[in-house]
Amino acid sequence: MTSGPAEIHTYDTDIFYVLSGSATFVTGGTAVEETTIGPGEAHAKSITGGTEHHLATGDVIIIPKGIPHQFTQVDGPFTYFVVKVKE
């Protein structure tokens, strides 16, 4: 997996569970160059002023709806699953 665009979900809370590997994940802050990609979904080039989280095997992180989030660095193979809770 490689780093990708920042995401912002209007209606969904994301719950990530890391199965293996490690990565740097940024949440919060301000989305830079945000564009709408579908109903209630946006991508952005990056995030400024967010909080970095170093995720590793067994970690869980919850991202409430409306909060920008982005993988900024992925260290080798990285697997996770995400549960989306629609509100």
Side-chain angles (χ1 to χ4, degrees), residues 6 8 30-35 43-48:
I8 306 97
T30 303
V32 175
E33 297 180 28
E34 183 176 335
T35 57
H43 279 176
K45 180 178 177 180
S46 61
I47 296 171
T48 59

Side-chain angles (χ1 to χ4, degrees), residues 45-64:
K45 180 178 177 180
S46 61
I47 296 171
T48 59
T51 302
E52 274 193 358
H53 307 272
H54 298 283
L55 302 179
T57 302
D59 286 346
V60 173
I61 189 166
I62 300 170
I63 302 95

Side-chain angles (χ1 to χ4, degrees), residues 10 13 23 35-36 43 45 53 63 65 67-69 72 76-77 87:
T10 302
T13 290
T35 57
T36 299
H43 279 176
K45 180 178 177 180
H53 307 272
I63 302 95
K65 65 181 179 178
I67 301 297
H69 52 284
T72 58
E87 298 184 40

